[in-house]
Amino acid sequence: MNTKFITFILFYTILNSFSFAQQKCSDLENELKFQKAKNEELSKENRYYKETLDLLKPIQSVKIDGLQLDITSIVGSKADKTVTVTFMYKNIEAETRSFFQCEQAYFIDPQGNQAHAFEIFVSFNQGIRAENIKPDIPTKATITFKTTETTYPIIRQLKIIVFPKEIMAKQIEAIFENLDVVWK
């Protein structure tokens, strides 16, 4: 009788342990799924912040007419035969600037070939003009060039033509030299 009772207790304990282990395993699987989702979301945030830091690290900077222009990346696409220049502009004066307008840009490669801007976006609505530029707030802009060559490692000279804050004044050239191109 004692043996049967001990066997019954032992069998009952093993069954309870097994069902408890299954329940724990299911809980752990759910926790693992939650942690993986959380990790993925944190990875996305991390990539965003790294890209933001890269945008804030200029390759070259120029100050003109109360603005600071910072070139942050130059990426060439061999497939599209384009070069995209990303830059940040910032009003470095104390007052709000009424506008920033840029509708022309060109560059010269090491062989002397010129490429003129194909697309210029300086505002949120993908236009060539931004209005009411607040002081010390960097804003992202892009210029895309169509090109025939896709092998040059640098842009010898890049000129971005900017309208001055004084409407009747002559347009201003922001000039950057010897900029590395990253081809993809």
Side-chain angles (χ1 to χ4, degrees):
M1 175 82 177
N2 248 352
T3 323
K4 287 182 181 182
F5 182 69
I6 291 175
T7 306
F8 174 74
I9 296 287
L10 189 60
F11 182 71
Y12 181 75
T13 306
I14 290 173
L15 277 177
N16 274 345
S17 297
F18 185 69
S19 80
F20 181 73
Q22 281 182 331
Q23 182 181 358
K24 276 295 195 187
C25 186
S26 177
D27 291 346
L28 287 173
E29 284 177 358
N30 290 337
E31 179 67 21
L32 182 62
K33 286 179 186 177
F34 173 75
Q35 290 299 332
K36 281 183 180 180
K38 188 175 178 182
N39 190 27
E40 190 174 308
E41 186 63 31
L42 288 172
S43 294
K44 286 179 185 177
E45 287 180 22
N46 193 17
R47 280 191 299 275
Y48 174 80
Y49 289 125
K50 281 182 180 180
E51 288 174 9
T52 302
L53 284 174
D54 287 342
L55 277 177
L56 297 176
K57 284 191 273 182
I59 297 168
Q60 279 188 30
S61 295
V62 169
K63 293 180 180 179
I64 58 165
D65 196 38
L67 289 170
Q68 179 172 325
L69 305 179
D70 298 328
I71 302 291
T72 57
S73 75
I74 300 174
V75 178
S77 170
K78 290 183 178 185
D80 298 334
K81 292 189 176 183
T82 60
V83 174
T84 301
V85 176
T86 303
F87 67 98
M88 304 292 278
Y89 63 90
K90 178 172 59 170
N91 177 5
I92 54 176
E93 294 182 337
E95 308 85 40
T96 298
R97 185 184 176 103
S98 59
F99 71 94
F100 169 63
Q101 183 171 337
C102 172
E103 60 185 47
Q104 295 179 33
Y106 69 91
F107 73 80
I108 302 171
D109 72 13
Q111 293 180 346
N113 300 315
Q114 291 186 26
H116 293 274
F118 175 69
E119 289 180 332
I120 299 176
F121 300 129
V122 299
S123 67
F124 67 91
N125 61 357
Q126 298 186 340
I128 60 171
R129 182 180 173 107
E131 309 248 344
N132 299 321
I133 313 302
K134 302 289 183 201
D136 294 322
I137 298 176
T139 305
K140 182 179 171 181
T142 60
I143 302 173
T144 303
F145 299 89
K146 290 281 189 183
T147 182
T148 55
E149 293 292 322
T150 58
T151 57
Y152 49 88
I154 64 168
I155 290 176
R156 181 73 183 99
Q157 186 179 69
L158 167 66
K159 287 187 180 181
I160 301 173
I161 314 303
V162 176
F163 282 81
K165 62 183 169 184
E166 302 299 325
I167 306 257
M168 300 307 283
K170 184 181 174 190
Q171 293 178 356
I172 303 167
E173 295 179 342
I175 300 173
F176 301 90
E177 294 183 340
N178 300 321
L179 300 164
D180 292 332
V181 180
V182 177
W183 287 100
K184 294 184 179 184

